[in-house]
Amino acid sequence: MADHPTISTESDLASPALPHTAVTRRSLLGGASIAVGVAVLASPPSMPGIAPAAAQPVSADPRPLDAVFKRRAFEVREVCASNTEKIPIAPHPTNGDEARYPNKIGSDSRGLPHDKRGEVEQAAWQALYTACQSGDSADFEKIPLGGTRKLVNPIGTLAVSLSGINPTQIAIPPAPALASAERGGEAVEVYWQSLLRDVPLNELRDDTSNRDVLAATEELNKLADFRGPKSGGRVTPGTLFRANVLYFDPADPKGRSVTPPGVLDGPLISQFLLRDVPYAAQWMSAQIRTAVPANEFLTEYEDWLAIQNGAAPKRQLQFDATPRYITTGRDLAEYIHSGPALGWAAALILATPSGGTDQHYSGMYPPAEAVSYPSNPYRKSKTQTPAGATFGLGYVQALLATGISNSVRASYWQKYFVHRAVRPEAYGGLAHHRLANGVSDYPLHDNFLKSEALNRSKAKYGTYLLSQTYPEAAPLHSTYPGGATSVGAVTATILKAFFDESRVIANPVQPDPVDPTRLVPYSGPPLTVGGELNKLAVNFGFGRNWAGIHWRSDASASMALGEEVAIGMLRDERMTLREPFDGFSFTRFDGSRVTI
């Protein structure tokens, strides 16, 4: 990866006045000796003849080392809290749809009761709105539900995270408006994804001859507003359904869109999803249980309306009996259906040395080629090694687990308390009423209404509804921003802070297009740890788009949000460490360098 200007995240934040050389045993004690209490066990009655040693007096006063450690813990926590408090509340612009449409057709109302046309009952909407204004658990308990499914974790977003920043301090751009060309373009894309779910992902390359892939590429290039990655100013088969990141930009209401380093290189699926995972005396296969192509849901209106009301699905997924590698968009959608431990797996692959006769138990790099970040203090130590306390695998995994929770809090907070934007499945219902039932007051953009993607979907399924790969469709919270993508983003960012992202991945692989139960070598541009971690993050998020439950902008904005959550956590974590350490340094999704 190319070097970029280094950005310090601590330029305006205070650090505790605790230099590394200050807290040593010698400097704390000032050369004075201390009495150390020694626990001595008396001989048990059954062992005569062994006289117990005289017990040493135990000092009633704490050791100076203990007292200073206790004081330092307080000061670090105090400084971290003070620094976080200095970060202002961020702006939270919305797309205006909630105020624009009295019937709330531009807002997420799934799970509440709806009329036959799929419009929410106003009393139920008002109850949801009231709860989202107050944040009171009692108000959320008053919301009338239309079925048996429940809203997902709204009060959990108000939990105070003890590391990192508060969700109110993170800004993301507004979601695209219902009637906008951008939302229409995203609808064209997600309908194409539904049509191409079973096309092998290796067909998404610039020399493909797949007619459906070429048709999708051609149509996306005709859109008035499409913000996906491009090559030479155009969408190509090689950039089709690849990811971008959307940062908040005060100068641009739509935000700043960038393509993360590495996500356009090589196979669409990250190498971290194609390798078996060593797990001490066990291992986890990279092959997954896949859903068969017959799994298409919500294409019949009555089923669609029942799910909007929060009913449990009537049909269940059907699976292929033979596990295989992630080969299609449908496979990727199913992989991230239930929240896999992708970050845990990537950390194990990176932290476990390679070698041995059985590759199932082997990591990515041999012991002599440490993949920890060069600034890791234990790479220079002559007498110490990292472990679960700091810098070891257990420590990284603990940060990943906390990061997942913190990123979900941040993304769900935006969903409930700011945006409440419409899901693709509900947008498909508006399209169905507009075109099949002549409901002219549903203002969808012509780029979508007249698209080849929509016409093909109607011909395939008999309605204008968007097919879903999950029987229950989307979880019952709004679409923007995407929670799964924020998890992927915080995971990738934390791992880039601990492992050398510049390292080239040796012997990269891809699924055999003829036999997806096998892997074959990949040859092409070099793939790096950082690029494949970026790809891992977007695989986690954009897989939900393949499922039909998210828009491109949901994932793009959440990439920046999850990164910000990770940076806040690492900033606080840096304050706690006692090792001589130059700080966490990594490449952000926009290609710039950050040092914490």
Side-chain angles (χ1 to χ4, degrees):
M1 292 185 178
D3 288 334
H4 298 274
T6 298
I7 303 171
S8 172
T9 66
E10 298 180 326
S11 56
D12 299 319
L13 303 180
S15 297
L18 297 167
H20 287 294
T21 57
V23 190
T24 65
R25 191 172 189 277
R26 182 177 298 276
S27 63
L28 285 175
L29 304 182
S33 62
I34 64 173
V36 180
V38 179
V40 180
L41 297 178
S43 299
S46 60
M47 299 178 64
I50 301 177
Q56 299 297 313
V58 177
S59 172
D61 298 324
R63 298 181 305 167
L65 181 66
D66 299 346
V68 173
F69 191 6
K70 177 175 177 286
R71 179 65 187 177
R72 179 173 182 267
F74 173 79
E75 292 185 2
V76 167
R77 290 169 179 167
E78 186 176 47
V79 169
C80 288
S82 177
N83 285 343
T84 299
E85 198 279 331
K86 292 174 184 177
I87 300 172
I89 294 174
H92 299 298
T94 68
N95 63 15
D97 281 346
E98 196 165 280
R100 189 174 292 121
Y101 303 112
N103 56 0
K104 308 307 174 187
I105 58 171
S107 303
D108 181 58
S109 60
R110 293 161 314 105
L112 306 183
H114 296 75
D115 63 20
K116 291 295 184 181
R117 205 160 82 168
E119 293 185 14
V120 66
E121 292 183 5
Q122 288 299 304
W125 171 264
Q126 187 58 48
L128 173 65
Y129 181 81
T130 297
C132 291
Q133 298 309 301
S134 72
D136 191 329
S137 181
D139 286 337
F140 278 98
E141 291 299 314
K142 297 175 184 176
I143 299 171
L145 300 180
T148 58
R149 295 176 67 196
K150 300 178 181 180
L151 303 180
V152 180
N153 210 196
I155 294 298
T157 70
L158 302 178
V160 174
S161 299
L162 295 181
S163 65
I165 61 179
N166 183 279
T168 64
Q169 296 168 301
I170 302 175
I172 60 175
L178 178 70
S180 67
E182 182 179 3
R183 182 63 94 204
E186 290 189 328
V188 171
E189 180 183 42
V190 78
Y191 269 74
W192 273 116
Q193 284 184 282
S194 76
L195 292 166
L196 301 181
R197 281 181 186 134
D198 299 302
V199 172
L201 293 174
N202 74 312
E203 291 292 345
L204 302 183
R205 63 182 194 276
D206 287 341
D207 63 349
T208 186
S209 59
N210 186 287
R211 293 183 179 180
D212 295 331
V213 170
L214 294 172
T217 303
E218 181 180 359
E219 181 155 67
L220 292 178
N221 275 311
K222 296 177 181 178
L223 296 175
D225 190 350
F226 180 70
R227 308 201 91 195
K230 298 177 182 178
S231 177
R234 292 181 58 79
V235 180
T236 71
T239 67
L240 188 66
F241 309 140
R242 301 277 180 142
N244 64 313
V245 176
L246 190 62
Y247 288 93
F248 178 80
D249 185 351
D252 185 350
K254 290 187 175 182
R256 177 172 60 93
S257 180
V258 300
T259 302
V263 302
L264 298 184
D265 298 334
L268 184 144
I269 301 299
S270 171
Q271 293 295 299
F272 291 104
L273 297 184
L274 297 175
R275 292 175 179 261
D276 294 335
V277 181
Y279 197 1
Q282 300 171 282
W283 60 275
M284 295 180 285
S285 174
Q287 293 187 350
I288 68 167
R289 181 179 68 168
T290 61
V292 300
N295 291 287
E296 300 288 349
F297 303 95
L298 272 64
T299 57
E300 296 182 7
Y301 185 77
E302 292 304 318
D303 290 342
W304 174 87
L305 183 59
I307 293 297
Q308 303 313 293
N309 284 327
K314 295 179 180 179
R315 297 167 52 205
Q316 300 298 317
L317 280 168
Q318 301 174 36
F319 298 101
D320 193 318
T322 303
R324 71 183 191 197
Y325 295 99
I326 298 172
T327 307
T328 67
R330 187 184 302 278
D331 295 347
L332 182 59
E334 184 55 31
Y335 173 75
I336 56 88
H337 189 178
S338 300
L342 82 169
W344 194 271
L348 285 163
I349 291 171
L350 288 169
T352 304
S354 66
T357 57
D358 191 336
Q359 291 301 304
H360 290 133
Y361 303 93
S362 181
M364 194 172 279
Y365 295 96
E369 300 177 12
V371 74
S372 59
Y373 198 80
S375 66
N376 185 313
Y378 290 96
R379 291 186 63 169
K380 301 176 182 178
S381 176
K382 297 179 180 179
T383 62
Q384 302 175 69
T385 187
T390 59
F391 291 94
L393 176 61
Y395 174 68
V396 175
Q397 289 172 327
L399 289 178
L400 289 175
T402 302
I404 288 171
S405 179
N406 288 356
S407 66
V408 170
R409 291 174 182 181
S411 58
Y412 282 21
W413 183 85
Q414 297 275 355
K415 289 173 180 285
Y416 281 109
F417 297 102
V418 182
H419 298 286
R420 297 183 289 276
V422 69
R423 286 273 186 177
E425 68 188 75
Y427 186 98
L430 299 177
H432 180 72
H433 281 301
R434 172 75 181 264
L435 296 173
N437 299 325
V439 181
S440 60
D441 58 341
Y442 288 172
L444 308 185
H445 200 275
D446 276 352
N447 277 358
F448 169 67
L449 293 175
K450 298 179 179 179
S451 67
E452 182 180 351
L454 182 59
N455 288 334
R456 284 196 185 200
S457 187
K458 169 62 163 59
K460 182 175 182 179
Y461 299 112
T463 68
Y464 294 99
L465 299 169
L466 174 63
S467 66
Q468 306 283 305
T469 66
Y470 306 152
E472 74 283 7
L476 294 188
H477 47 55
S478 82
T479 194
Y480 186 81
T485 316
S486 71
V487 170
V490 78
T491 293
T493 304
I494 288 173
L495 291 177
K496 286 188 291 185
F498 284 93
F499 296 99
D500 186 354
E501 61 184 303
S502 69
R503 294 290 297 276
V504 172
I505 293 176
N507 305 315
V509 294
Q510 59 186 346
D512 186 340
V514 178
D515 178 5
T517 66
R518 296 178 59 249
L519 294 174
V520 295
Y522 156 77
S523 60
L527 306 179
T528 64
V529 168
E532 293 303 293
L533 287 174
N534 290 345
K535 198 182 292 181
L536 179 70
V538 299
N539 284 166
F540 199 17
F542 279 70
R544 312 283 273 193
N545 299 28
W546 283 102
I549 71 171
H550 269 301
W551 307 105
R552 169 175 289 276
S553 55
D554 301 341
S556 300
S558 282
M559 287 287 288
L561 180 148
E563 182 180 68
E564 197 65 32
V565 168
I567 288 173
M569 288 179 57
L570 292 168
R571 181 188 297 120
D572 284 355
E573 198 65 27
R574 173 68 182 90
M575 295 281 196
T576 71
L577 299 174
R578 286 292 295 120
E579 291 90 345
F581 179 46
D582 295 332
F584 301 109
S585 184
F586 53 89
T587 306
R588 298 185 64 165
F589 295 132
D590 66 357
S592 64
R593 292 288 296 179
V594 59
T595 295
I596 302 173

